[in-house]
Coordinates of all heavy atoms in Angstrom, one line a residue:
F50 N 116.2 -58.1 14.7 CA 115.3 -57.2 15.3 C 114.0 -57.0 14.4 O 114.1 -57.0 13.2 CB 115.9 -55.8 15.6 CG 117.0 -55.8 16.5 CD1 118.3 -55.9 16.1 CD2 116.7 -56.0 17.9 CE1 119.4 -56.0 17.0 CE2 117.8 -56.0 18.8 CZ 119.1 -56.0 18.3
P51 N 112.8 -56.8 15.0 CA 111.6 -56.5 14.3 C 111.7 -55.2 13.5 O 112.4 -54.3 14.0 CB 110.5 -56.7 15.2 CG 111.1 -56.3 16.5 CD 112.5 -56.9 16.5
A52 N 111.1 -55.1 12.4 CA 111.2 -53.9 11.5 C 110.7 -52.7 12.3 O 111.1 -51.7 12.3 CB 110.5 -54.1 10.3
E53 N 109.5 -52.8 12.9 CA 108.8 -51.8 13.7 C 108.6 -52.3 15.1 O 108.2 -53.4 15.4 CB 107.5 -51.5 13.1 CG 107.6 -50.9 11.7 CD 106.3 -50.5 11.1 OE1 105.3 -50.4 11.9 OE2 106.2 -50.4 9.9
P54 N 108.9 -51.5 16.1 CA 108.7 -51.9 17.5 C 107.2 -52.1 17.7 O 106.4 -51.3 17.2 CB 109.3 -50.8 18.3 CG 109.5 -49.6 17.4 CD 109.5 -50.2 16.1
Q55 N 106.9 -53.1 18.4 CA 105.5 -53.3 18.7 C 105.1 -52.7 20.1 O 105.8 -52.6 21.0 CB 105.3 -54.9 19.0 CG 105.7 -55.7 17.8 CD 104.8 -55.5 16.6 OE1 103.7 -55.3 16.7 NE2 105.5 -55.5 15.4
P56 N 103.9 -52.1 20.0 CA 103.5 -51.4 21.2 C 103.2 -52.4 22.4 O 102.9 -53.6 22.2 CB 102.1 -50.8 20.8 CG 101.6 -51.6 19.7 CD 102.9 -52.1 18.9
P57 N 103.4 -52.0 23.6 CA 103.2 -52.9 24.7 C 101.7 -53.3 24.8 O 100.8 -52.6 24.5 CB 103.7 -52.1 25.9 CG 103.6 -50.7 25.5 CD 103.8 -50.6 24.1
V58 N 101.5 -54.6 25.3 CA 100.1 -54.9 25.4 C 99.6 -54.5 26.8 O 100.3 -54.8 27.8 CB 100.1 -56.5 25.3 CG1 98.7 -57.0 25.6 CG2 100.6 -56.9 24.0
A59 N 98.5 -53.8 26.8 CA 98.0 -53.3 28.1 C 97.0 -54.3 28.7 O 96.3 -55.0 27.9 CB 97.2 -52.1 27.9
T60 N 97.1 -54.7 30.0 CA 96.2 -55.6 30.6 C 95.2 -54.8 31.3 O 95.4 -53.7 31.9 CB 97.1 -56.4 31.7 OG1 97.6 -55.5 32.6 CG2 98.2 -57.3 31.0
P61 N 93.9 -55.2 31.1 CA 92.8 -54.5 31.8 C 92.9 -54.5 33.3 O 93.3 -55.5 33.9 CB 91.5 -55.2 31.3 CG 92.1 -56.6 31.0 CD 93.5 -56.5 30.5
L62 N 92.6 -53.4 33.9 CA 92.6 -53.3 35.4 C 91.3 -54.0 35.9 O 90.3 -53.9 35.3 CB 92.7 -51.9 35.8 CG 94.0 -51.1 35.4 CD1 93.8 -49.7 35.8 CD2 95.1 -51.7 36.1
P63 N 91.5 -54.6 37.0 CA 90.3 -55.2 37.7 C 89.3 -54.1 38.1 O 89.7 -53.1 38.5 CB 90.8 -55.9 38.8 CG 92.2 -55.4 39.2 CD 92.7 -54.9 37.9
Q64 N 88.0 -54.4 37.8 CA 87.0 -53.5 38.2 C 86.7 -53.6 39.6 O 86.5 -54.6 40.2 CB 85.7 -53.8 37.3 CG 85.9 -53.6 35.8 CD 86.2 -52.2 35.4 OE1 85.7 -51.3 36.1 NE2 87.1 -52.1 34.4
A65 N 86.5 -52.4 40.3 CA 86.3 -52.3 41.6 C 84.7 -52.5 41.9 O 83.9 -51.9 41.0 CB 86.7 -51.0 42.3
A66 N 84.4 -53.2 42.9 CA 82.9 -53.4 43.1 C 82.3 -52.0 43.6 O 83.0 -51.4 44.5 CB 82.7 -54.5 44.1
P67 N 81.1 -51.7 43.2 CA 80.5 -50.4 43.8 C 80.2 -50.6 45.3 O 79.9 -51.6 45.8 CB 79.1 -50.3 43.0 CG 78.9 -51.7 42.5 CD 80.2 -52.4 42.3
P68 N 80.4 -49.5 46.1 CA 80.2 -49.6 47.5 C 78.7 -49.9 47.8 O 77.8 -49.3 47.1 CB 80.6 -48.2 48.0 CG 80.5 -47.3 46.8 CD 80.7 -48.1 45.5
S69 N 78.6 -50.7 48.7 CA 77.2 -51.1 49.1 C 76.8 -50.2 50.2 O 77.6 -49.7 51.0 CB 77.1 -52.7 49.4 OG 78.0 -52.8 50.6
S70 N 75.5 -50.0 50.3 CA 75.0 -49.1 51.3 C 75.0 -49.7 52.7 O 74.8 -49.1 53.7 CB 73.5 -48.6 50.9 OG 72.6 -49.8 50.8
A71 N 75.0 -51.1 52.7 CA 75.1 -51.8 54.0 C 76.4 -51.7 54.7 O 76.5 -51.9 55.9 CB 74.8 -53.3 53.8
A72 N 77.5 -51.3 54.0 CA 78.8 -51.2 54.6 C 78.8 -49.9 55.4 O 78.4 -48.9 55.0 CB 79.9 -51.2 53.6
P73 N 79.3 -50.0 56.7 CA 79.4 -48.8 57.5 C 80.5 -47.8 56.9 O 81.5 -48.2 56.4 CB 79.8 -49.3 58.8 CG 80.5 -50.6 58.6 CD 79.9 -51.2 57.4
Q74 N 80.1 -46.6 57.0 CA 81.1 -45.5 56.5 C 82.1 -45.3 57.5 O 81.9 -45.1 58.7 CB 80.3 -44.2 56.3 CG 79.2 -44.2 55.1 CD 80.0 -44.4 53.7 OE1 81.1 -44.0 53.5 NE2 79.3 -45.2 52.9
T75 N 83.4 -45.3 57.0 CA 84.6 -45.1 57.9 C 85.2 -43.8 57.5 O 84.8 -43.1 56.5 CB 85.6 -46.2 57.7 OG1 86.0 -46.3 56.4 CG2 84.9 -47.6 58.2
N76 N 86.2 -43.4 58.1 CA 86.9 -42.2 57.9 C 87.5 -42.3 56.5 O 88.3 -43.2 56.2 CB 88.0 -42.0 59.0 CG 88.7 -40.6 58.7 OD1 88.3 -39.9 57.9 ND2 89.6 -40.4 59.6
S77 N 87.2 -41.4 55.6 CA 87.6 -41.4 54.2 C 88.9 -40.7 53.9 O 89.3 -40.4 52.8 CB 86.5 -40.9 53.3 OG 86.4 -39.6 53.5
A78 N 89.6 -40.3 55.0 CA 90.8 -39.6 54.8 C 91.9 -40.5 54.4 O 92.0 -41.7 54.8 CB 91.3 -38.9 56.2
P79 N 92.9 -40.1 53.5 CA 94.0 -41.0 53.0 C 94.9 -41.4 54.1 O 95.1 -40.6 55.1 CB 94.6 -40.2 52.0 CG 94.4 -38.8 52.2 CD 93.0 -38.8 52.9
Q80 N 95.3 -42.6 54.1 CA 96.3 -43.0 55.1 C 97.6 -42.3 54.9 O 98.0 -41.9 53.8 CB 96.6 -44.5 54.9 CG 95.3 -45.4 55.1 CD 94.8 -45.3 56.5 OE1 95.5 -45.2 57.4 NE2 93.5 -45.3 56.7
P81 N 98.3 -42.1 56.0 CA 99.6 -41.3 55.9 C 100.7 -41.9 55.1 O 101.4 -41.2 54.4 CB 100.0 -41.1 57.4 CG 99.0 -41.8 58.1 CD 98.0 -42.4 57.3
G82 N 100.8 -43.2 54.9 CA 101.8 -43.9 54.2 C 101.5 -44.0 52.7 O 102.4 -44.1 51.9
S83 N 100.2 -43.8 52.3 CA 99.9 -43.9 50.8 C 100.1 -42.6 50.0 O 100.3 -42.7 48.9 CB 98.5 -44.4 50.8 OG 97.6 -43.4 51.3

Side-chain angles (χ1 to χ4, degrees):
F50 294 101
E53 294 180 19
Q55 302 295 322
V58 177
T60 57
L62 296 174
Q64 297 295 324
S69 64
S70 60
Q74 292 293 329
T75 59
N76 188 2
S77 62
Q80 297 296 325
S83 64

